Amino acid sequence: MHWKNSWVPKKTRKRREVSPDDNAYSDFKSDGKRKPHAADAIRSYDDFHAIQDYYLEKGQVRDWAMWTIGVSLGLRISDLLSLKFGHIIDKDKKTYRPRIQIYEQKTGKLNNCLITESVRLAMDRYLESIKYRFDLDGYLFPSKKTKGKMYEECGWRILSSAGKALNLPLVIGSHTMRKSFANIAACV
């Protein structure tokens, strides 16, 4: 038997023709879950304020403070949720420190953040909502269930739910705060 005579061409797959009307690329995976998308930055002060109002209307002052302080400081969600009252408030429990010094978990670098007026106002409102009952060694944004450190996924869920409820044309996630820092910091 000669190999030349027995050669059969390979079967090739036909490419699927994609028409503009046919959405071949879906936002959902085969199991029905939404595909992950990168978080968008908030570019308008109106959207930032709408998210703040959403939390306040629902009476979620902790979540409002997390959003406001997160955008004002520009920290990653892991670093924001690791903050303790003692990072922001002096030992006398009455005055705010001028700066936060925190080692970033991802990079290990020292980040020296300025505590702005918006952070002070958010802290005042937050402390009023918890009736000034706090420990300097306690987490700034504790979990409602465990009273310990809030998980990053829970922080993402809190932020993402606000964007979905407000029907914002953006993907709101935990990294939205960090990406929005430069845009909103000039307004706040």
Side-chain angles (χ1 to χ4, degrees):
M1 179 173 176
H2 293 173
W3 290 102
K4 285 185 179 180
N5 295 338
S6 64
W7 181 78
V8 178
K10 260 186 176 179
K11 290 184 180 179
T12 58
R13 287 187 187 171
K14 284 187 176 181
R15 289 192 177 185
R16 183 174 170 195
E17 296 294 324
V18 179
S19 66
D21 300 331
D22 181 25
N23 186 4
Y25 304 105
S26 173
D27 283 339
F28 297 93
K29 297 190 284 185
S30 61
D31 61 358
K33 293 182 181 177
R34 192 176 264 296
K35 289 180 183 176
H37 293 283
D40 294 324
I42 300 285
R43 300 203 188 284
S44 89
Y45 187 71
D46 294 334
D47 290 342
F48 171 74
H49 199 65
I51 293 174
Q52 282 186 318
D53 290 343
Y54 169 79
Y55 289 128
L56 291 178
E57 287 169 6
K58 294 188 78 91
Q60 299 171 339
V61 180
R62 179 201 64 175
D63 301 341
W64 170 84
M66 182 174 68
W67 169 253
T68 305
I69 293 170
V71 171
S72 298
L73 294 177
L75 294 172
R76 288 182 181 86
I77 189 73
S78 58
D79 298 326
L80 183 68
L81 296 179
S82 295
L83 284 179
K84 298 188 175 188
F85 282 101
H87 285 112
I88 297 179
I89 300 173
D90 266 334
K91 293 177 183 174
D92 64 1
K93 291 190 171 187
K94 295 178 183 168
T95 57
Y96 296 112
R97 296 175 184 265
R99 294 186 166 275
I100 297 172
Q101 290 189 334
I102 185 170
Y103 283 98
E104 293 182 350
Q105 288 182 10
K106 184 176 179 180
T107 63
K109 295 179 182 176
L110 180 66
N111 193 343
N112 196 3
C113 301
L114 178 68
I115 296 181
T116 61
E117 187 64 26
S118 63
V119 174
R120 287 187 196 99
L121 293 173
M123 283 299 297
D124 287 342
R125 191 166 194 168
Y126 180 48
L127 291 172
E128 190 177 299
S129 75
I130 61 171
K131 297 176 177 50
Y132 296 94
R133 285 180 279 161
F134 64 91
D135 181 24
L136 290 175
D137 293 328
Y139 288 105
L140 190 58
F141 306 111
S143 167
K144 288 182 180 177
K145 290 181 182 177
T146 65
K147 305 296 182 205
K149 183 179 177 186
M150 183 190 304
Y151 290 112
E152 294 169 27
E153 184 179 335
C154 184
W156 170 82
R157 196 176 306 117
I158 289 167
L159 299 171
S160 178
S161 66
K164 290 175 185 172
L166 295 171
N167 291 323
L168 293 176
L170 305 165
V171 178
I172 305 291
S174 54
H175 210 63
T176 298
M177 294 183 296
R178 186 168 169 84
K179 286 183 171 184
S180 304
F181 168 64
N183 298 325
I184 302 301
C187 302
V188 179

